[in-house]
Amino acid sequence: MRRVCFTLQVKPDRLEEYRRRHVHVWPDMLRALRAAGWHDYQLFLRDDGLLVGTLLTEDLAAAQAAMDATEVSARWEAEMADFFISGRHLVVLDEVFNLEHQLGALQ
């Protein structure tokens, strides 16, 4: 599995509501994410609205496509769209260091 890290920008005036919406994500959304191949999915939010997400997946494009094909994702996206600056376009970050990989290379 590959670890993916991405960023989004939440509108500063929507931070508290964004946090509230993620306290209890819809159960059918949670199940859809898992079924689509999103594992160990976590979101971190900075006070200026920078949102950083991480997940494990075999294939990010396939996992995203599988979610895009679900009705629950369409409903969730419609409800969450106004929270983001410049839409919901993930900016995937390149991994530049991995401790486990480098330690493994030493053995």
Side-chain angles (χ1 to χ4, degrees), residues 41-85:
Y41 182 27
Q42 301 173 1
L43 296 172
F44 301 87
L45 183 60
R46 202 166 66 180
D47 288 341
D48 67 356
L50 177 65
L51 181 72
V52 176
T54 66
L55 69 135
L56 293 173
T57 188
E58 293 293 335
D59 180 338
L60 180 60
Q64 287 178 301
M67 281 307 294
D68 289 345
T70 67
E71 178 275 334
V72 68
S73 182
R75 281 190 293 122
W76 181 266
E77 295 294 327
E79 289 215 7
M80 300 303 291
D82 189 50
F83 283 86
F84 298 98
I85 295 171

Side-chain angles (χ1 to χ4, degrees), residues 3 10-11 14 23 25 28 33 37 44 47 52 54 58 61 77 81 84 86-87 89 101-102 107:
R3 178 161 306 280
V10 177
K11 294 176 181 175
R14 303 298 308 271
V23 171
V25 173
D28 49 342
L33 285 162
F44 301 87
D47 288 341
V52 176
T54 66
E58 293 293 335
E77 295 294 327
F84 298 98
S86 70
H89 303 288
H101 292 168
Q102 289 198 23
Q107 298 173 4

Side-chain angles (χ1 to χ4, degrees), residues 77-98:
E77 295 294 327
E79 289 215 7
M80 300 303 291
D82 189 50
F83 283 86
F84 298 98
I85 295 171
S86 70
R88 256 198 84 118
H89 303 288
L90 303 182
V91 177
V92 177
L93 304 178
D94 292 329
E95 181 179 279
V96 296
F97 173 77
N98 184 307

